[in-house]
Amino acid sequence: MAEVKPIPKNQNSPNFSKAAVLEDFRTALMSRHASLVGRKEVFMGKAKFGIFGDGKELAQLAMARAFQIGDFRSGYYRDQTFMMAIGELTVQEYFAQLYAHTNVNAEPASAGRLMNGHFATRSLNEDGSWKELTKMYNSAADISPTAAQMPKLLGLAYASKLFRGNKGLKNFSDLSINGNEVAWGTIGNASTSEGLFFETINAAGVMQVPMVISVWDDAYGISVPQEYHTTKGSISEAIAGFERTESQKGFEIIKVKGWDYEGLMNAFFNAGKIARDEHVPVLIHVVEMTQPQGHSTSGSHERYKSTERLKWEKEWDCISKFREYILSSEIASPETLDKIEAEIKADVKKQKETAWAEFSKEIKAELQEAFSLIKKAAENSTRKVILTQMADELSRTLNPIRKDVISTVRKAILTLRFDSNESKIELKNWYKAQEEKNHDRYNSHLYSESKWGVLNIEEVKPRFDDKSILIDGREILQKYFDYTLENNPKFFAFGEDVGKIGDVNQAFAGLQAKYGELRVSDTSIREATIVGQGIGTALRGLRPVAEIQYLDYLLYGLQMLSDDLACLQYRTKGGQKAPLIIRTRGHRLEGVWHSGSPMGMILSSLRGMVVCVPRDMTQAAGMYATLLQADEPAIVIECLNGYRLKEKLPSNLGEYTVPMGRPDILREGNDITVVTYGSMCRIVMEAAAELGELGIEVEVIDVQTLLPFDVHGIIGESIKKTNRVIFADEDVPGGASAYMMQQVLENQEVFRYLDSEPMTIASKPHRPAYSSDGDYFSKPSVEDIVEKVYKVMNEANPKSFPTL
């Protein structure tokens, strides 16, 4: 394990001048007092919950000093001192987040959508275009799940490796300067027990990327002491086998004490220099840290820490030790430090009060408007007494929130239901205007609202002519990816078996040899960090396709997709984007773990992503072309049994696009509509042909994308014509088939056009059994479709279609 050694005094070395040290002292005190005051605000009822970074101040100051313009952070909810030190978080903004202020100018990290301690810089301009990331400090948007910040850290660092090694990226100086950027990660000691941490460590050691992971070690994980978390009670000792040697690549590992100001500065500058110059990952284990206020406002650490431990924490508090260091070094007198602390306390109080005033001002104005309108409506109402009481109770609300106002207005409108005066109309109009404002405050930006949103990408139809040859579906994709690698330097692909053999189904066959390992790459078996690798590189302006070999294995990476990627634009209110494309394959093949179609799970957990379900590889190629012009994350689920089926090769491959949210009518009919997608399209089309021979004309619709879903109402128009509908897929009962039914019945107003009960066809509720027989008896067959459609027609017209 490396010792912390002073580095030469140059532009990349710590600055221990009097001015620099006192500036750090001010920042440390500012952060500490923000933590102390923040806890009081929660207990006063002005905020719901608080989690703070007290005890970690000195280490974060050191990290901030070594952090350079263009670098990226992927940390967690205790990094407030770091964000303050790099100038990306003011105390006022800190409290605005604590209060959940929904104005993005007041709270730029999340516009009040995240609990306090979740930090982010805004990578995008207001129109959704990229800022010059190389001219700013960058922080990826934080998430709460422990260790879940690690996988995207790998991707942020890997992007630097791509920018340095891929000559085609040299001109994108707004995104990188020759890959010199370091990705800095932070994590608590207990969270290093998570698999996401170990997977990231292993992948970074293999890949050799410029990444610095800092472990803030205060010897506990909430109430659980270190010996229950980590082998040998020390993460740096536990992973010592990852340390690099003269002959073997690996990690540089540094251990340093959290109260040692000079030691911390030297450690972080050493780490940054190694990562930046050599593209070697570094782990800094910061020990002997404290947590003066305990884990959060939900409890007290006095319940689980011994008297001896609490006494030690008070004595070895990093700010107390910092003060001792300043005094012993004769940098400042006690009186000077006392004066600085008094000034900081006053400033924190002032900024806190300003944040509260700005937060409450808007709500109080809305409350006053609502109060006046309710009182006015009450004047001519038969329910005057009740309405007046509502208004008066609202006006007396202590520390009102927006819910208090809107809830009262809605109750008032309900109370006025028998009145028809103008004041009622005025109140309703006010409420409607507030609905629009509150949608923007709390519900907007689940999907991109820029001109690059998927619904804004222009459709270009595939062209076929007499020269269009029939080739395997896999060859369509191979030719598409070849075209895209040639024409888009930001595009690259990686995953298990993607590189040398060109993926298990050969869609990248020969492309690594043609374009190099940085463009078409193999990875180890590690789905969570494959996803993270994609998220991090997409956050830096690149266009990755990350492959999850089979849809069933998506579960390994589902947390990252759900908690990080899918909600990224939402939780930053359009401040960050990561247009990662997940490529996978599923539906029919053989057996329990290679023929899954868990679409209900995907639809429930990945709102905020585009979900593409192409029926063949021609459609898949067009979907990739659309997505690469858009700025939204997506998953493309190719048909596992379709790679060797013959398809016509379009003459404009690489140029045509498939519109998102627009179903495709595969077969027209007047008797019944069957809505499906993916591999089921072939099953339903075969069944429709058989039904045609029986005199039943089926209209077959391929939805193409499940998110977004039929934004033009094409399915509804079909049902208005046929008056009957079946939703068919190979998910479990109540999965995607039920989702499709809900989308159509509730959003397209077709119920009154139905002459028969709407139906679903799905797989059996168990995993599919092995073999062709297992497939037949587990998933919908042609005969299942025929019999279900026939039954609907039998009930409608038993004379023409007698009971079987």
Side-chain angles (χ1 to χ4, degrees):
M1 191 174 301
E3 295 293 328
V4 181
K5 300 174 183 176
I7 59 177
K9 297 288 183 180
N10 56 36
Q11 68 274 17
N12 293 316
S13 65
N15 181 357
F16 294 118
S17 69
K18 177 180 177 179
V21 172
L22 291 180
E23 180 61 27
D24 284 343
F25 185 68
R26 288 186 182 91
T27 304
L29 286 175
M30 181 170 62
S31 178
R32 175 63 61 87
H33 285 293
S35 294
L36 296 172
V37 173
R39 188 177 182 88
K40 292 177 182 177
E41 292 296 281
V42 174
F43 291 153
M44 287 175 62
K46 292 165 73 176
K48 295 283 287 186
F49 178 81
I51 195 161
F52 308 105
D54 46 311
K56 299 1 184 224
E57 290 91 352
L58 284 200
Q60 292 181 32
L61 283 167
M63 177 173 146
R65 295 302 177 220
F67 196 84
Q68 294 186 11
I69 293 287
D71 284 355
F72 274 80
R73 165 194 169 272
S74 178
Y76 78 130
Y77 41 74
R78 297 200 190 277
D79 289 347
Q80 67 195 51
T81 310
F82 170 82
M83 295 299 291
M84 290 175 178
I86 63 170
E88 293 297 332
L89 178 70
T90 66
V91 172
Q92 185 173 330
E93 289 169 345
Y94 176 79
F95 281 100
Q97 189 174 68
L98 186 69
Y99 302 139
H101 195 161
T102 58
N103 187 317
V104 74
N105 295 315
E107 201 282 271
S110 73
R113 294 179 176 186
L114 299 179
M115 122 188 144
N116 86 299
H118 289 71
F119 309 114
T121 51
R122 300 193 73 77
S123 303
L124 307 178
N125 297 304
E126 287 189 11
D127 66 353
S129 61
W130 291 101
K131 292 181 179 178
E132 291 187 81
L133 303 183
T134 51
K135 294 183 178 179
M136 57 187 284
Y137 293 118
N138 300 286
S139 175
D142 289 346
I143 55 179
S144 282
T146 53
Q149 69 272 33
M150 292 290 102
K152 73 180 169 196
L153 175 66
L154 177 74
L156 291 168
Y158 181 58
S160 289
K161 185 171 183 175
L162 294 174
F163 279 116
R164 183 169 290 184
N166 180 0
K167 294 180 180 179
L169 298 175
K170 296 299 182 185
N171 293 328
F172 296 102
S173 58
D174 54 332
L175 302 177
S176 176
I177 306 298
N178 196 39
N180 291 332
E181 301 77 24
V182 172
W184 302 77
T186 64
I187 188 169
N189 56 288
S191 298
T192 63
S193 302
E194 294 275 15
L196 294 174
F197 172 80
F198 281 98
E199 190 172 312
T200 301
I201 287 285
N202 184 60
V206 170
M207 297 165 67
Q208 293 291 282
V209 292
M211 179 175 87
V212 179
I213 294 179
S214 303
V215 180
W216 308 145
D217 191 343
D218 57 27
Y220 284 84
I222 306 184
S223 67
V224 181
Q226 186 75 324
E227 57 263 30
Y228 291 96
H229 290 291
T230 310
T231 301
K232 301 181 180 180
S234 167
I235 191 61
S236 55
E237 292 182 28
I239 65 168
F242 285 91
E243 189 166 22
R244 65 176 179 165
T245 66
E246 289 184 3
S247 60
Q248 292 179 309
K249 295 178 179 179
F251 264 75
E252 184 77 11
I253 301 177
I254 299 171
K255 191 172 181 178
V256 63
K257 292 178 172 60
W259 48 264
D260 180 358
Y261 179 70
E262 287 197 4
L264 287 163
M265 287 292 177
N266 288 325
F268 277 89
F269 274 84
N270 274 322
K273 182 172 177 57
I274 290 167
R276 199 177 310 280
D277 296 347
E278 302 177 49
H279 272 203
V280 168
V282 184
L283 182 135
I284 306 177
H285 185 194
V286 186
V287 298
E288 297 187 19
M289 286 186 137
T290 65
Q291 201 154 277
Q293 297 187 103
H295 176 263
S296 68
T297 56
S298 64
S300 169
H301 63 155
E302 284 84 359
R303 292 183 300 158
Y304 52 83
K305 289 179 181 175
S306 67
T307 303
E308 292 75 20
R309 174 69 191 187
L310 290 168
K311 181 180 178 182
W312 181 90
E313 289 199 6
K314 187 173 183 180
E315 182 180 351
W316 291 89
D317 181 278
C318 66
I319 293 183
S320 296
K321 288 294 176 184
F322 193 17
R323 182 184 175 98
E324 290 178 13
Y325 165 81
I326 293 171
L327 294 173
S328 65
S329 302
E330 299 183 347
I331 293 172
S333 66
E335 294 76 17
T336 299
L337 299 186
D338 290 343
K339 182 181 179 183
I340 289 172
E341 184 159 14
E343 291 171 352
I344 292 297
K345 279 185 178 180
D347 187 49
V348 167
K349 183 177 183 230
K350 180 180 179 182
Q351 290 197 61
K352 180 264 296 182
E353 290 172 349
T354 302
W356 177 255
E358 290 296 314
F359 166 72
S360 56
K361 177 176 65 176
E362 207 171 61
I363 295 175
K364 286 178 179 178
E366 292 169 13
L367 185 150
Q368 187 57 48
E369 290 172 1
F371 170 80
S372 299
L373 289 169
I374 295 170
K375 292 279 279 188
K376 185 177 179 181
E379 288 301 316
N380 299 311
S381 173
T382 56
R383 313 294 297 278
K384 180 177 180 179
V385 174
I386 295 173
L387 289 165
T388 301
Q389 184 179 355
M390 281 183 188
D392 290 342
E393 287 180 357
L394 178 62
S395 69
R396 291 193 295 268
T397 304
L398 183 65
N399 294 332
I401 59 175
R402 199 160 269 120
K403 174 189 172 186
D404 298 321
V405 179
I406 298 302
S407 176
T408 302
V409 168
R410 294 172 77 176
K411 289 174 181 174
I413 291 171
L414 183 64
T415 303
L416 286 161
R417 62 191 180 277
F418 294 115
D419 293 305
S420 58
N421 58 62
E422 290 183 8
S423 299
K424 171 186 172 181
I425 295 171
E426 195 175 351
L427 183 63
K428 287 177 68 176
N429 288 340
W430 183 88
Y431 171 61
K432 185 176 180 181
Q434 289 300 311
E435 274 191 307
E436 294 177 4
K437 291 179 181 179
N438 287 327
H439 174 81
D440 175 68
R441 288 167 178 144
Y442 302 103
N443 311 120
S444 64
H445 292 86
L446 178 60
Y447 289 93
S448 171
E449 298 187 9
S450 77
K451 66 180 180 181
W452 299 283
V454 291
L455 297 179
N456 298 327
I457 304 304
E458 184 179 352
E459 179 185 11
V460 177
K461 293 183 179 297
R463 291 196 300 268
F464 301 95
D465 52 39
D466 295 340
K467 297 180 181 178
S468 296
I469 58 173
L470 281 172
I471 58 175
D472 287 351
R474 63 181 177 83
E475 295 180 90
I476 300 274
L477 286 177
Q478 194 270 352
K479 291 179 182 298
Y480 168 77
F481 289 132
D482 188 5
Y483 173 93
T484 307
L485 285 161
E486 178 70 31
N487 290 280
N488 186 349
K490 292 182 180 180
F491 173 78
F492 63 104
F494 56 91
E496 298 159 18
D497 299 303
V498 169
K500 188 170 184 178
I501 69 168
D503 94 40
V504 291
N505 296 104
Q506 300 293 284
F508 282 95
L511 298 184
Q512 185 185 80
K514 185 174 181 180
Y515 295 100
E517 291 189 22
L518 290 179
R519 302 295 303 282
V520 184
S521 308
D522 283 315
T523 69
S524 56
I525 300 174
R526 50 173 181 82
E527 285 80 5
T529 47
I530 287 174
V531 171
Q533 196 172 327
I535 295 172
T537 51
L539 277 166
R540 294 192 59 183
L542 297 177
R543 297 310 311 255
V545 166
E547 180 167 313
I548 302 297
Q549 196 164 91
Y550 295 105
L551 183 56
D552 305 75
Y553 303 157
L554 193 73
L555 281 164
Y556 286 104
L558 190 63
Q559 183 194 4
M560 304 314 308
L561 292 171
S562 181
D563 288 336
D564 200 347
L565 182 62
C567 62
L568 176 64
Q569 292 215 41
Y570 169 77
R571 71 177 192 273
T572 61
K573 200 180 183 186
Q576 292 187 4
K577 63 182 177 182
L580 165 64
I581 300 172
I582 299 293
R583 177 184 180 234
T584 187
R585 51 192 67 81
H587 311 314
R588 292 172 182 262
L589 189 65
E590 301 289 345
V592 169
W593 291 287
H594 290 80
S595 53
S597 191
M599 306 307 299
M601 174 191 77
I602 290 169
L603 291 168
S604 295
S605 58
L606 299 186
R607 297 298 170 99
M609 290 184 69
V610 176
V611 178
C612 298
V613 281
R615 63 182 177 269
D616 58 33
M617 306 312 155
T618 303
Q619 294 301 100
M623 290 175 176
Y624 286 120
T626 300
L627 294 169
L628 285 169
Q629 293 183 47
D631 63 356
E632 302 189 62
I635 178 169
V636 180
I637 304 165
E638 298 166 9
C639 296
L640 188 50
N641 60 356
Y643 292 107
R644 296 188 181 277
L645 297 180
K646 299 297 183 183
E647 300 180 31
K648 272 191 175 183
L649 176 65
S651 60
N652 60 339
L653 184 68
E655 299 172 3
Y656 71 88
T657 57
V658 171
M660 305 284 106
R662 184 185 299 173
D664 200 0
I665 298 175
L666 305 183
R667 176 186 173 118
E668 294 189 353
N670 295 310
D671 292 323
I672 187 169
T673 301
V674 177
V675 180
T676 191
Y677 60 85
S679 296
M680 281 292 291
C681 288
R682 291 190 291 275
I683 302 293
V684 173
M685 286 293 282
E686 187 176 337
E690 290 190 16
L691 288 161
E693 295 176 3
L694 300 175
I696 300 171
E697 292 303 320
V698 180
E699 183 140 298
V700 180
I701 298 181
D702 172 15
V703 302
Q704 301 208 92
T705 63
L706 289 164
L707 293 172
F709 184 87
D710 190 12
V711 296
H712 302 289
I714 290 170
I715 298 169
E717 291 301 312
S718 174
I719 294 171
K720 290 176 185 178
K721 177 178 67 174
T722 65
N723 309 117
R724 299 174 186 87
V725 65
I726 292 176
F727 299 92
D729 80 337
E730 50 186 297
D731 195 0
V732 297
S737 57
Y739 161 80
M740 292 190 292
M741 180 185 286
Q742 177 268 331
Q743 289 285 299
V744 173
L745 293 189
E746 292 189 15
N747 298 336
Q748 298 189 21
E749 300 180 352
V750 298
F751 187 78
R752 64 181 179 273
Y753 295 99
L754 289 169
D755 293 337
S756 299
E757 179 185 358
M759 310 288 284
T760 65
I761 298 174
S763 294
K764 298 295 189 292
H766 54 72
R767 295 288 185 98
Y770 180 61
S771 81
S772 296
D773 279 345
D775 175 82
Y776 183 83
F777 290 104
S778 299
K779 294 204 169 191
S781 64
V782 171
E783 289 75 24
D784 291 331
I785 306 296
V786 169
E787 290 168 7
K788 191 80 168 233
V789 171
Y790 189 91
K791 182 180 179 181
V792 173
M793 298 307 297
N794 162 254
E795 291 173 350
N797 187 352
K799 184 176 180 180
S800 298
F801 307 106
T803 303
L804 297 177

